[in-house]
């Protein structure tokens, strides 16, 4: 038999990224459902056990974490448990081999599924690739999901058969590989899954769902009259058009979702909204969860407003506003940070200075190249000059690849036509009110197009997704040079690329981390979101996806981004910005009893009304107050973490200098 490393390359697996970015918060997820859970001191029965069930923290097959999967029954409750072998000492060589892997032993704790009650599970998604190992994805009631569990020795059929003996398990009407757990309501509604968003609501039902989120989508300028008049969601229309296509699992997850990103934001909101509207049609303006076994359904109450479990007045006595903002860093002061050969003497001091003061426009072009990772802080003037020449040649080569495609080739190159068409649509409506991009036949818009199309050839797996033009626009405005802007954008996408994965793994991991931070820093608001079924945090989707690009004026976006890129207090400071904005409006959100629809509209109406300096100072205070507890809320690998192997791929060998 072939060695396991040779049998299956996870880079061909559409969901391997979920193991690194989304699932690394598993241990924390288990903690959230621990109350009223499994009692180790009470008798229990193991109703299912399977060895060699693995999780992959990254795309590298050698980093798999093998373990034991069990289903344990205690009294009338069923619990799911997955424990890596390093904890139960089942594999003799596992601990020794682990030290050779890039996976840190201390991080393995985060992957443990420690007796998860099945009442907290919404559905189980089964995947049976034709030439690879079978795996399942566990989706919680909140919409968050664990990473794929790979069954190297088979056993998924037996696993599902065992569950059917003890629980109500029904197959989704939309997807034969989705199994709904404890589904006591309409199975079509209960099949909502963040892993299958475009397919979750049947077309017949989705057409009746009101769409309150025009401002939430990226396609605002292109909203058709039909969409405005009848409320038909773009996602359901798209799903209907694709219904005749193959039922390949990877295809059903993607459905070109991230290449038509407006559909993601609309659908994420509309599918959740449909649950609220169904209850409103029954004259039930509010609801609360039932406690107890198999209580995923809701009790509706028309005579009681939603109340937080804690008083509105939250104790902020230990949270202090951050330091006052300083004057921006200018070119003269910047020169003092370099030695005679051009190296940055103290990168931490430089990043701190930028964090608290920002950068003058005349110094941004040089500093942004360091912040984005295009230049190394310890590089010399000569090394940077050499890097520029090498990268110029590489860029010209990449650009020539699509420029040399003939008309005949284009007719036979569907993916190229689709991506090129999407880029052309996006660039003509990106920041066109800003003087740098305004006007017909603007050459900067043409270069924006060229950079994005070249990137789709540089990173062909990811390609182009809607929202990328928003991230490139300020970079090109500051850097001005086409080639250098491209490589700065490449460096940024090394961090933010998981935001655009078709399985949304990067977004899921950040939304999960955001939920844990809100729980830590504003428990009353967290409890309210739980009662209002708003714990999926999809209303913050746009904030995270494009780093608040639509929430501030162009000049303030640049000021905020350079603060985020310093990674001074945290490489996930953008999540503390999210918490700060939500926290500032907690009283309004709770007292006005905002449901999901209202929350989306309210948050989108904040665009242009947020003071960037004030919000950064308050986020700094929250970050310092949260400390290590806050850092522990964020799973390892959560974007915008810088990939550890970027240097080997991005920078030329020093020996070539």
């Amino acid at each position: 038999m072939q060695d396991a490393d040779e049998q299956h390359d996870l880079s061909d697996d559409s969901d391997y990224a979920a193991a690194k970015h989304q699932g690394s918060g598993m241990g924390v997820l288990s903690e959230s459902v621990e109350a009223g859970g499994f009692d180790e001191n009470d008798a229990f029965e193991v109703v299912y056990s399977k060895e060699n069930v693995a999780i992959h923290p990254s795309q590298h097959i050698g980093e798999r974490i093998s373990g034991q999967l069990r289903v344990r029954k205690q009294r009338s409750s069923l619990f799911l448990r997955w424990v890596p072998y390093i904890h139960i000492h089942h594999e003799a060589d596992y601990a020794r081999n682990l030290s050779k892997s890039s996976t840190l032993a201390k991080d393995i704790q985060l992957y443990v599924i420690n007796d998860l009650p099945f009442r907290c599970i919404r559905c189980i998604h089964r995947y049976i690739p034709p030439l690879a190992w079978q795996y399942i994805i566990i989706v919680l009631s909140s919409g968050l999901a664990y990473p794929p569990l790979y069954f190297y020795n088979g056993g998924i059929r037996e696993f599902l058969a065992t569950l059917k003996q003890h629980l109500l398990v029904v197959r989704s009407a939309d997807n034969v590989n989705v199994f709904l757990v404890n589904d006591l309501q309409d199975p079509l509604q209960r099949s909502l899954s963040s892993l299958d968003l475009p397919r979750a609501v049947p077309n017949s039902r989705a057409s009746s769902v009101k769409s309150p989120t025009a401002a939430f989508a990226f396609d605002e300028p292109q909203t058709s009259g039909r969409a405005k008049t009848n409320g038909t969601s773009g996602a359901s229309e798209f799903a209907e058009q694709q219904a005749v296509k193959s039922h390949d699992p990877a295809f059903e997850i993607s459905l070109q979702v991230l290449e038509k990103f407006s559909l993601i934001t609309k659908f994420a909101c509309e599918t959740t909204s449909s649950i609220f509207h169904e209850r409103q049609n029954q004259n039930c303006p509010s609801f609360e969860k039932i406690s107890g076994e198999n209580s995923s359904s809701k009790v509706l109450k028309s005579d009681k407003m939603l109340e937080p479990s804690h008083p509105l007045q939250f104790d902020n006595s230990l949270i202090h506003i951050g330091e006052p903002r300083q004057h921006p860093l200018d070119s003269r002061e910047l020169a003092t940070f370099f030695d005679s050969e051009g190296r940055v003497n103290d990168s931490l001091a430089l990043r701190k200075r930028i964090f608290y003061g920002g950068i003058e426009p005349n110094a941004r072009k040089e500093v942004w190249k360091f912040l984005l990772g295009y230049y190394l802080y310890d590089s010399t003037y000569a090394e940077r000059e050499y890097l520029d020449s090498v990268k110029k040649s590489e860029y010209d080569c990449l650009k020539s690849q699509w420029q040399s495609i003939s008309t005949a080739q284009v007719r036979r190159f569907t993916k190229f036509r689709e991506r090129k068409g999407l880029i052309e649509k996006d660039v003509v409506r990106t920041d066109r009110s800003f003087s740098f991009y305004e006007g017909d036949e603007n050459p900067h818009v043409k270069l924006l197009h060229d950079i994005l199309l070249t990137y789709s050839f540089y990173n062909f797996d990811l390609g182009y997704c809607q929202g990328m033009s928003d991230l490139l626009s300020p970079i090109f405005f500051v850097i001005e040079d086409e080639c250098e802007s491209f490589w700065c954008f490449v460096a940024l996408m090394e961090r933010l690329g998981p935001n655009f994965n078709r399985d949304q793994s990067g977004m899921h991991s950040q939304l999960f981390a955001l939920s844990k931070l809100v729980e830590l820093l504003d428990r009353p608001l967290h409890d309210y979101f739980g009662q209002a079924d708003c714990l999926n945090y999809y209303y913050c989707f746009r904030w995270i996806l494009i780093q608040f690009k639509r929430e501030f004026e162009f000049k303030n976006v640049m000021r905020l981004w350079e603060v985020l890129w310093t990674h001074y207090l945290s490489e996930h400071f953008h999540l503390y910005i999210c918490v700060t904005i939500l926290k500032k409006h907690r009283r309004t959100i709770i007292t006005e009893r905002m449901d999901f629809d209202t929350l989306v509209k309210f948050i989108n109406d904040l665009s242009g009304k947020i003071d960037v300096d004030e919000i950064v100072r308050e986020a700094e205070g929250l970050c310092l107050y949260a400390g290590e507890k806050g850092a522990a809320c964020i799973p390892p690998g959560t974007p915008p973490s810088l990939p550890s192997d970027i240097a080997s791929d991005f920078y030329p060998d020093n020996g070539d200098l």
Side-chain angles (χ1 to χ4, degrees), residues 182-193:
N182 297 323
D183 185 68
L184 304 178
Q185 301 180 38
D186 181 358
L188 302 183
Q189 287 295 322
R190 296 292 295 166
S191 65
L192 289 175
S193 167

Side-chain angles (χ1 to χ4, degrees), residues 252-364:
E252 291 193 0
I253 282 188
S254 63
L255 280 176
Q256 302 179 17
V257 171
L258 292 175
E259 294 195 14
K260 303 189 183 302
F261 228 98
S262 60
L263 305 186
I264 275 285
T265 52
K266 287 180 182 177
F267 197 87
C269 178
E270 289 171 1
T271 51
T272 306
S273 302
S274 65
I275 299 177
F276 285 99
H277 291 148
E278 186 175 271
R279 285 152 176 72
Q280 290 169 351
N281 291 337
Q282 301 172 3
N283 297 318
C284 302
S286 62
F287 61 90
E288 64 181 14
K289 293 183 178 180
I290 308 176
S291 60
E293 189 68 32
N294 297 339
S295 57
S296 57
S297 58
K298 310 292 188 298
V299 169
L300 309 179
K301 303 187 70 174
S302 59
D303 58 348
K304 181 180 179 181
M305 68 172 284
L306 289 168
E307 296 286 356
S309 60
H310 297 269
L312 282 177
Q313 294 300 330
F314 184 61
D315 182 11
N316 291 321
S317 59
L318 298 178
I319 301 178
H320 303 284
I321 296 179
E323 297 181 17
R325 302 293 291 166
Q326 303 171 8
H327 63 275
L329 175 75
D330 59 21
S331 297
R332 171 180 282 181
E333 185 181 359
L334 175 63
T336 65
F337 284 91
F338 294 97
D339 65 16
S340 59
E341 293 186 334
R343 299 182 184 87
V344 176
N345 292 311
D346 188 341
S347 62
L348 179 62
L350 177 61
R351 290 186 289 114
K352 179 180 180 180
R353 177 68 180 85
I354 296 168
F355 181 88
Y356 286 109
I359 310 169
E360 285 282 5
N362 62 7
R364 275 197 178 119

Side-chain angles (χ1 to χ4, degrees), residues 38 42-48 70-80 115 118 165-167:
F38 190 84
D42 200 355
F44 64 88
E45 175 189 2
V46 177
V47 297
Y48 175 87
R70 283 188 169 189
V71 177
R72 307 203 288 185
K73 185 175 183 180
Q74 190 170 75
R75 295 185 295 275
S76 61
S77 300
L78 217 60
F79 300 87
L80 182 71
D115 292 310
F118 270 85
Q165 296 175 12
H166 301 275
L167 300 169

